Amino acid sequence: MDKFSHLDENGKAKMVDVSEKSISHRQAVAYGRVLLNEKTYEMVKNSQIKKGDVLTVAKIAGIMAAKNTSRAIPMCHPINLTAIDIEFKMNDKQNFIEIFATCKVDEKTGVEMEALSAVSLAALTIYDMCKALQRDIEITNIKLLKKSGGKSGTFTNESNFS
């Protein structure tokens, strides 16, 4: 078995040394879902939430989360993101909001954690803005869908969304 790169010779946690790695274009796409009841869903969809435009605020929160990932996750390298995109897809039949976050970078290390952070904070922001209307909101299915770049190449998560 290969040595785990996040541990030092004494088995203690450490930040991985990426100084010898090559810079490459890297991209990651993450996913999450927020389940709402019909009333809350319709209010979000029609911009009727008293706290404001839920999806716009959630998008900004997701972007901010991606930009600050290394401050929240101790062993995560600070990187210079070149692009962050957050997209919401509304499911009118089942009253849920899908969140897709895409992050890009030209760096020595990946951008998966930034994409996952973006999805997570966007979902939490939707929850926060709607919790006065609905206490049983569910945040589910947060996962990495795809990553590319670097020595390990492309990864695509083949699991379904349910």
Side-chain angles (χ1 to χ4, degrees):
M1 185 165 103
D2 292 333
K3 181 181 168 190
F4 190 57
S5 61
H6 285 79
L7 301 176
D8 68 14
E9 60 278 355
N10 298 315
K12 303 293 183 189
K14 71 169 188 167
M15 183 181 239
V16 174
D17 183 354
V18 296
S19 59
E20 300 300 318
K21 293 176 80 175
S22 298
I23 291 174
S24 69
H25 179 72
R26 298 160 186 267
Q27 179 173 321
V29 180
Y31 173 85
R33 184 184 289 175
V34 180
L35 301 126
L36 303 169
N37 63 32
E38 186 176 357
K39 178 184 175 188
T40 305
Y41 177 86
E42 288 300 321
M43 289 180 75
V44 170
K45 184 177 173 182
N46 296 312
S47 298
Q48 297 173 326
I49 301 294
K50 290 184 181 182
K51 286 188 173 185
D53 181 347
V54 173
L55 299 184
T56 298
V57 175
K59 183 173 190 165
I60 293 167
I63 291 168
M64 290 175 64
K67 291 168 59 174
N68 288 292
T69 299
S70 67
R71 291 181 178 178
I73 300 174
M75 302 301 172
C76 190
H77 292 85
I79 59 175
N80 292 312
L81 292 162
T82 57
I84 306 165
D85 185 40
I86 312 244
E87 181 182 348
F88 301 100
K89 290 187 180 174
M90 308 294 284
N91 183 308
D92 294 342
K93 291 182 181 178
Q94 295 180 314
N95 301 319
F96 63 76
I97 302 167
E98 293 179 298
I99 306 166
F100 296 86
T102 303
C103 293
K104 297 178 184 179
V105 69
D106 294 308
E107 272 289 354
K108 295 181 176 193
T109 189
V111 71
E112 300 93 326
M113 297 311 300
E114 288 73 10
L116 288 161
S117 292
V119 165
S120 298
L121 255 292
L124 286 168
T125 299
I126 293 169
Y127 185 102
D128 179 58
M129 294 185 74
C130 298
K131 68 185 179 199
L133 292 168
Q134 181 184 346
R135 297 199 185 268
D136 62 347
I137 296 167
E138 290 184 40
I139 296 171
T140 66
N141 297 75
I142 294 174
K143 62 179 121 182
L144 181 69
L145 294 182
K146 185 175 182 179
K147 73 154 233 76
S148 61
K151 190 168 74 172
S152 62
T154 299
F155 164 79
T156 303
N157 188 339
E158 301 294 334
S159 68
N160 64 22
F161 289 110
S162 53

